Amino acid sequence: MAEKAIKEMSRASEECTALLPSQEQLLKIFVRHVPAAVAMLDHDMRYLQVSDRWCSDFSLDSSKVIGRSHYEIFPDMPDRWKEINRRGLGGEMLRAEEDRWNRTGGGTTWLRWEIRPWQNLDGVPGGIVIFAEDITRRKNAEDALLDMSRKLIEAHEQERTRIGRDLHDDIVQRLVMLAIELGGVQQDLPGSASEVRIRIGTLQNETTRITNDVQLLSHELHSSKLDYLGIVGATKNFCKEFSERQKVEIDFQSHDLPTSLPTELSLSLFRVLQEALRNATKHSGVKRFEVRLWGSTEEIHLTVSDLGVGFDPEIAMNSTGLGLTSMQERLRLVHGELSINSRPKGGTSIYARVPFVSSSHSVRAVG
């Protein structure tokens, strides 16, 4: 009697289990109704279920997708994406990524995707679930903004160049002539006019100082030395001139830099250096700064550091000043990044890095 009861209970349990949806069935229901672009595939990369959004985003007919191969529907899929799918089938969960897809029929699609493996009730890998989002419009808008920023900065640089040359070729030359004329007047004065001679000498010295300041300003606005000396020579020269004018000490060192860098990249780093040193001199409360410029396998690095009063980077980024924002924007145009390590009374380090790969030999610059 007991044995018969046990068999009946076992059969009833099996019947109840058969009525319950399996994990795979539940996942199919989820994929089918989720309001996002989602696809469920088996271990052979064949579609088991897709959402309506997946079909609309990729112009697919859901009735003609189930059972077909992912690579049959998307024959132009990049090899790097196929490798990512293989990793997902191997059980690896791949977090959200953004990538470009150059379609065979023309045009470019930007996708943000995430891959998660799924298993059946026995724990056996069943395939992957792909979450995708077409972000082409957003990327196109970002590219348009980036292009606008590039044009604004180019116009800004052209204006800086014009003003710098006008200062150097016109204003500086006129100030030099004024200093010379004052010297001539001083020499022509009779010996009895000693007080006037002293006064003119003072005016001549002040004119010379103004001339030097204007000349340094013209170099900051348009550093022709960047074209002739390269990033290392121009940086070393700027640190020397800046330290002499501001009466501060700048320890500059460089190493392992390529023999040449693209003009846009060099100019971006040079402008970051100028802005960082001006900010440090104005706000740090110290008179000594360190500048490091170096190259690695695929990047160029620049740091400007001090042991001054420091600040809260988040507050500084949200302030009305344009210094940090300008540095970030310049680096973004060359696909670089800016990071700030600072805290109140703990000093500050501005770190810029930009990607650069060169087959040319590196040179070791002495800073």
Side-chain angles (χ1 to χ4, degrees):
M1 180 69 69
E3 184 178 348
K4 183 178 180 180
I6 292 174
K7 287 182 178 180
E8 288 294 333
M9 290 176 61
S10 177
R11 185 171 66 255
S13 176
E14 290 175 358
E15 289 175 353
C16 289
T17 302
L19 292 174
L20 293 174
S22 66
Q23 185 169 333
E24 180 178 334
Q25 290 172 327
L26 288 173
L27 189 55
K28 284 182 179 180
I29 294 172
F30 165 78
V31 170
R32 179 69 181 84
H33 297 284
V34 69
V38 183
M40 178 182 178
L41 301 99
D42 64 17
H43 212 271
D44 295 321
M45 290 300 290
R46 295 187 178 278
Y47 284 96
L48 297 176
Q49 188 58 277
V50 293
S51 67
D52 291 338
R53 180 68 177 274
W54 180 278
C55 294
S56 62
D57 280 0
F58 297 106
S59 302
L60 300 174
D61 184 346
S62 60
S63 64
K64 299 179 180 178
V65 171
I66 307 303
R68 294 178 63 188
S69 168
H70 186 54
Y71 304 127
E72 177 188 352
I73 293 177
F74 299 111
D76 57 349
M77 178 165 290
D79 289 340
R80 65 182 182 279
W81 289 15
K82 294 179 181 179
E83 174 59 29
I84 289 171
N85 291 335
R86 283 193 288 269
R87 288 166 55 190
L89 292 172
E92 186 174 349
M93 182 180 296
L94 300 162
R95 297 296 180 183
E97 297 283 349
E98 295 182 358
D99 206 349
R100 183 201 305 263
W101 183 359
N102 296 318
R103 307 300 297 269
T104 302
T108 298
T109 299
W110 276 94
L111 292 177
R112 182 179 185 274
W113 48 260
E114 184 172 337
I115 293 179
R116 298 195 178 190
W118 64 272
Q119 300 176 343
N120 58 30
L121 290 174
D122 297 327
V124 177
I128 58 174
V129 175
I130 302 176
F131 298 81
E133 179 185 4
D134 189 334
I135 57 171
T136 304
R137 288 185 179 180
R138 174 168 69 82
K139 282 293 184 179
N140 288 340
E142 289 176 355
D143 289 343
L145 287 174
L146 191 64
D147 186 58
M148 183 180 296
S149 296
R150 178 176 286 106
K151 289 178 179 178
L152 287 173
I153 287 180
E154 287 175 354
H156 186 203
E157 285 298 331
Q158 290 173 2
E159 187 66 8
R160 290 174 71 118
T161 299
R162 184 190 66 78
I163 295 174
R165 285 175 175 167
D166 285 348
L167 287 174
H168 183 272
D169 298 340
D170 182 25
I171 305 301
V172 168
Q173 302 306 318
R174 289 160 64 184
L175 286 170
V176 170
M177 291 303 300
L178 176 60
I180 293 174
E181 289 293 330
L182 287 171
V185 172
Q186 186 183 40
Q187 293 297 323
D188 293 339
L189 287 173
S192 59
S194 59
E195 290 185 6
V196 177
R197 187 190 300 275
I198 293 172
R199 181 60 177 160
I200 291 178
T202 301
L203 291 174
Q204 184 183 26
N205 292 336
E206 182 63 22
T207 302
T208 301
R209 283 194 291 270
I210 294 174
T211 302
N212 292 335
D213 288 344
V214 173
Q215 189 169 33
L216 287 173
L217 178 60
S218 73
H219 289 168
E220 285 191 30
L221 288 170
H222 172 63
S223 180
S224 57
K225 293 176 182 177
L226 191 61
D227 299 327
Y228 299 121
L229 302 178
I231 185 64
V232 176
T235 300
K236 183 177 181 180
N237 185 266
F238 175 78
C239 289
K240 180 176 180 295
E241 290 183 345
F242 188 87
S243 62
E244 291 174 351
R245 184 174 57 168
Q246 298 293 333
K247 302 296 188 291
V248 298
E249 179 186 352
I250 300 177
D251 176 18
F252 169 64
Q253 296 181 27
S254 62
H255 60 87
D256 298 325
L257 286 156
T259 53
S260 63
L261 291 173
T263 301
E264 188 178 23
L265 191 154
S266 297
L267 184 58
S268 295
L269 288 173
F270 192 72
R271 293 304 186 207
V272 169
L273 167 72
Q274 290 179 314
E275 187 66 33
L277 277 177
R278 279 195 291 263
N279 288 344
T281 303
K282 184 177 180 180
H283 301 292
S284 69
V286 296
K287 295 290 185 179
R288 187 181 187 280
F289 309 96
E290 289 186 355
V291 175
R292 300 289 183 266
L293 180 65
W294 75 98
S296 60
T297 306
E298 297 182 345
E299 292 180 324
I300 306 298
H301 309 262
L302 170 70
T303 61
V304 179
S305 307
D306 65 71
L307 297 176
V309 297
F311 60 91
D312 186 322
E314 185 175 351
I315 294 177
M317 290 301 300
N318 293 327
S319 67
T320 57
L322 297 177
L324 294 176
T325 302
S326 174
M327 287 191 278
Q328 281 188 323
E329 193 65 21
R330 285 185 176 277
L331 290 173
R332 193 165 70 93
L333 292 178
V334 289
H335 309 291
E337 293 182 358
L338 180 77
S339 59
I340 304 169
N341 183 12
S342 182
R343 64 181 186 278
K345 299 182 181 180
T348 300
S349 179
I350 304 294
Y351 172 44
R353 62 185 183 91
V354 293
F356 177 73
V357 179
S358 173
S359 57
S360 60
H361 296 293
S362 294
V363 294
R364 183 172 294 278
V366 178

